[in-house]
Amino acid sequence: MVRSSHSLLTVETIIDTAEKLIVETDARDCTLRALSRALGCAPGALNQLFPGGVDEIISAVQARESDRLHGWITDAGNNPDYPGLANLNRLSNAARLMRRACAYLDFAEANPAVYRHLFSHPPTRGASGGEPVVIAMIEDSAEIIQAGARMGELNRPTIGRSDAMRLAHLIWVQLHGFADLRIGGKDGGQIHQIRLPMLVNLLALSGFLVAATPAGFEAAVRNAANISAPSEIMDHHPPRQAASHG
């Protein structure tokens, strides 16, 4: 919506409009001139609220996107009803880890432009892009793996912080690679077929005893869901949607 008065400009309206431009143009047209045109103001009016110009505005958008993704993952991990792997005890650390992994993939598919902007575009000057949410996700996953060891869910009685962080980092790398291929259209429409095996392998990689025999565990997941694995997870609507700005 074009605004005719500079007095209507706020930090939030500028960030909202910048995010809308990024989503609609895949960040190609998020310039000070484009923002000024969309908001019906002079470029100087934007600089009054964002002295750093478009770089500072894009940094604010990336911070919002990072917070949204982290919130989505956290909500899913804490919600036993969020679909992960159907045959897991919903209160187990294995189930919590899988809900978070599924939420990460669900967010990317539900918000492809936001996800691409957060990770596929280099951070602007002074910004950190998706780094904060990645660090938080790795640290949280490491804590879950350590909790799993304490609760007897792992194939070892204890696991050190550094080893847990290493495993958590490997989990994120695989999830990010899957999401990037999926939303980038580089998979020929086939990569969703390996989503369930990948998730099972992540549990096995982390040492969770429930996935000690990955093939058998995967079959158990499919039987528990009583539907095909891709539909089981992909048809779910996640708890948060990216804000739409009309």
Side-chain angles (χ1 to χ4, degrees), residues 12-231:
E12 285 302 310
T13 58
I14 294 172
I15 295 174
D16 286 348
T17 304
E19 186 173 21
K20 182 178 179 181
L21 286 174
I22 288 168
V23 168
E24 291 178 348
T25 69
D26 203 13
R28 291 187 300 273
D29 196 31
C30 189
T31 63
L32 208 60
R33 179 172 296 181
L35 279 169
S36 300
R37 184 167 57 249
L39 289 163
C41 67
L46 300 178
N47 286 329
Q48 291 179 8
L49 291 173
F50 288 94
V54 72
D55 284 353
E56 186 178 352
I57 295 170
I58 291 178
S59 295
V61 173
Q62 289 177 321
R64 174 192 281 184
E65 293 167 349
S66 182
D67 287 345
R68 182 181 299 144
L69 174 55
H70 186 247
W72 191 312
I73 295 168
T74 301
D75 288 351
N78 294 334
N79 178 10
D81 293 326
Y82 193 98
L85 298 184
N87 64 328
L88 289 172
N89 178 341
R90 295 189 302 170
L91 300 181
S92 68
N93 288 289
R96 186 181 175 202
L97 185 65
M98 288 297 96
R99 289 196 300 268
R100 290 170 58 87
C102 289
Y104 185 91
L105 301 178
D106 291 340
F107 179 93
E109 182 149 354
N111 307 282
V114 168
Y115 185 88
R116 278 194 299 268
H117 179 250
L118 192 56
F119 291 107
S120 299
H121 296 277
T124 55
R125 186 174 64 249
S128 52
E131 182 179 350
V133 71
V134 171
I135 293 173
M137 183 177 182
I138 290 173
E139 290 179 342
D140 292 346
S141 296
E143 290 177 3
I144 293 172
I145 292 170
Q146 288 186 293
R150 291 193 298 271
M151 297 299 292
E153 295 181 47
L154 259 62
N155 57 9
R156 65 186 85 178
T158 61
I159 181 171
R161 176 69 172 173
S162 60
D163 283 344
M165 287 289 287
R166 177 179 57 83
L167 291 172
H169 185 265
L170 290 174
I171 289 172
W172 176 78
V173 167
Q174 291 198 38
L175 290 174
H176 178 65
F178 181 98
D180 189 49
L181 288 171
R182 177 67 173 160
I183 69 174
K186 305 169 187 175
D187 65 325
Q190 301 301 312
I191 197 171
H192 70 278
Q193 297 178 8
I194 68 168
R195 174 169 168 154
L196 178 55
M198 177 193 66
L199 292 171
V200 171
N201 286 335
L202 292 180
L203 269 186
L205 171 72
S206 303
F208 281 92
L209 292 170
V210 291
T213 307
F217 181 73
E218 182 182 335
V221 174
R222 293 181 186 273
N223 290 336
N226 199 30
I227 51 176
S228 65
S231 298

Side-chain angles (χ1 to χ4, degrees), residues 3-19:
R3 292 170 169 78
S4 57
S5 172
H6 295 179
S7 64
L8 296 178
L9 283 178
T10 66
V11 167
E12 285 302 310
T13 58
I14 294 172
I15 295 174
D16 286 348
T17 304
E19 186 173 21

